[in-house]
Amino acid sequence: MRLGVLTGGGDCPGLNAAIRAITRRTVDRGHQVVGILGSWRGLVEGETMPLDRRAVSGLLPRGGTILGMTRSDPFRTEGGVGAVLRHASELGLDGVVAIGGEGTLTIAHRLYAEHGLPVVGVPKTIDNDLAATDYTFGFDTAVHVCVEAIDRLHTTAESHNRVMVVEVMGRTTGWIALYAGIAGGADVVLVPEDDLPIEDACDALRRRHAHGKDFSIVVVAEGTRLTRRSGEQVLVTQGEDEYGFVRYGGVGARVAEEIERATGYETRVTVLGHVQRGGTPTSRDRVLATRFGLKAADLAHEGRWGRMAALRGDAVVDVALDEAIAEIKRVPASWLESARALA
Ligand code: F6P
């Protein structure tokens, strides 16, 4: 068997660990592995690199991806799908493992279901927003980075009696904000699933000050709409990227302005941005990425195409790709209640 491997979407810690696991398992069975460069664009343009034991040596602690990433979509490129199929055939690929989030896996599923390309999926994203898996790798590292930042902001907030607003990533879901908020002991957590009015957030900060705490930490997920009790909502974005994906960012500054104006407390904002995606993966993400990679290699070896590795409880299982992309996994109300219980 000759197996292609690609990484698509935004990078996250653990991608290299997954590439390493897929390659080693597959090569150990006497098969060949080809790295597809720059996500689906590598198949559209036929850009690849050989992957063997030596090529994946030392990858476990390395962030990013040795294969490069783009959000390219062959369905949005003229002649893209035809080029993918032609190159897959010319390269002699028996199948492709697509490591990605919702966008990459949706493309993988369409190529499989509509064009017969044999694919297996591996779920990754710091956002943890993929249905059909309890966790994606990359998420734990992102939360870890956020919690470390919140711990640091706590001490400076306390010294200066300030409100510190921390904007974290997550696109349309609040998983990173929620986990980082709980673990970092945030006083207010604002997430897209909640639409907590800014007036309620300010009231919570005033109550805290009334109890003698004159500093506070507010965590806001980038996709949160600035909401008022009147029902007015504003989604703060920075336009779109070259592939038409919404660029989030900026809600933290708006929240900070509103808090300072309404309460009079000095308020500062920190946007953690891509720091959340960079650097070495936590041990948990290395293990999850490795387990997903081994599962994907097994699925390909068994010819079980159209499936995706997933975590259910503590078990790595496989699910249908279309189940994984059917909907975005949002933070449920019970989790929001946990975040508020100790705030
Ligand atoms: O999906 C992962 C993610 O980091 C989101 O949390 C964020 O909105 C987006 O990617 C940022 O994308 P880019 O790196 O293209 O700016």
Side-chain angles (χ1 to χ4, degrees):
M1 181 177 65
R2 205 166 147 80
L3 189 62
V5 180
L6 64 82
T7 50
D11 73 339
C12 76
L15 288 166
N16 282 326
I19 295 167
R20 170 179 175 269
I22 294 163
T23 303
R24 286 181 60 163
R25 180 80 118 199
T26 304
V27 166
D28 285 354
R29 287 187 168 126
H31 304 311
Q32 290 179 333
V33 185
V34 176
I36 297 161
L37 303 179
S39 183
W40 295 110
R41 193 178 70 195
L43 265 188
V44 171
E45 295 174 6
E47 283 182 10
T48 61
M49 67 182 271
L51 287 177
D52 54 17
R53 274 188 156 261
R54 177 178 291 219
V56 299
S57 164
L59 282 190
L60 202 47
R62 263 175 69 183
T65 164
I66 58 166
L67 299 178
M69 312 279 279
T70 64
R71 296 191 200 274
S72 63
D73 180 349
F75 289 95
R76 287 167 165 233
T77 313
E78 212 183 311
V81 173
V84 164
L85 300 175
R86 192 176 67 252
H87 282 127
S89 158
E90 283 171 13
L91 290 162
L93 298 183
D94 297 291
V96 174
V97 178
I99 311 173
E102 185 226 347
T104 306
L105 296 176
T106 300
I107 296 165
H109 177 254
R110 284 191 68 186
L111 287 168
Y112 168 70
E114 298 170 20
H115 299 278
L117 184 75
V119 295
V120 163
V122 172
K124 69 84 215 175
T125 163
I126 63 164
D127 304 333
N128 198 38
D129 61 353
L130 268 178
T133 184
D134 290 351
Y135 290 95
T136 51
F137 67 80
F139 174 65
D140 187 63
T141 309
V143 170
H144 183 82
V145 169
C146 294
V147 173
E148 192 190 345
I150 292 170
D151 288 348
R152 289 176 188 278
L153 289 168
H154 248 121
T155 62
T156 169
E158 188 171 10
S159 307
H160 287 273
N161 295 346
R162 283 174 177 160
V163 177
M164 292 291 192
V165 175
V166 189
E167 179 183 308
V168 302
M169 285 184 163
R171 291 212 303 163
T172 57
T173 66
W175 289 105
I176 298 176
L178 179 93
Y179 266 65
I182 293 175
D187 305 296
V188 174
V189 179
L190 298 170
V191 294
E193 289 86 345
D194 202 6
D195 289 338
L196 186 79
I198 189 73
E199 295 90 339
D200 290 14
C202 291
D203 283 352
L205 299 178
R206 284 194 198 93
R207 278 196 299 276
R208 197 175 137 77
H209 281 229
H211 284 98
K213 292 276 191 189
D214 42 19
F215 67 95
S216 298
I217 299 285
V218 176
V219 176
V220 54
E222 62 180 4
T224 306
R225 289 164 294 261
L226 182 66
T227 302
R228 296 184 199 286
R229 282 185 185 146
S230 63
E232 182 197 338
Q233 291 194 317
V234 182
L235 179 65
V236 186
T237 63
Q238 309 293 327
E240 293 180 352
D241 70 10
E242 62 178 306
Y243 300 106
F245 286 89
V246 174
R247 267 199 195 154
Y248 292 94
V251 68
R254 293 291 300 277
V255 165
E257 263 169 45
E258 295 279 337
I259 290 173
E260 189 165 272
R261 197 177 44 75
T263 63
Y265 307 146
E266 186 183 11
T267 306
R268 299 294 176 90
V269 62
T270 301
V271 181
L272 293 179
H274 291 83
V275 169
Q276 294 160 89
R277 286 207 332 228
T280 190
T282 59
S283 52
R284 190 179 170 85
D285 275 340
R286 294 181 200 190
V287 171
L288 187 58
T290 299
R291 293 178 77 201
F292 279 170
L294 293 175
K295 183 71 178 178
D298 291 348
L299 289 169
H301 177 67
E302 293 157 12
R304 300 183 59 213
W305 308 112
R307 310 290 295 173
M308 183 189 85
L311 189 71
R312 292 276 167 85
D314 220 14
V316 172
V317 299
D318 60 274
V319 297
L321 258 179
D322 52 359
E323 191 186 328
I325 56 168
E327 57 178 356
I328 290 292
K329 182 178 68 188
R330 299 192 186 282
V331 175
S334 57
W335 269 109
L336 297 174
E337 198 282 322
S338 305
R340 277 201 217 107
L342 296 179

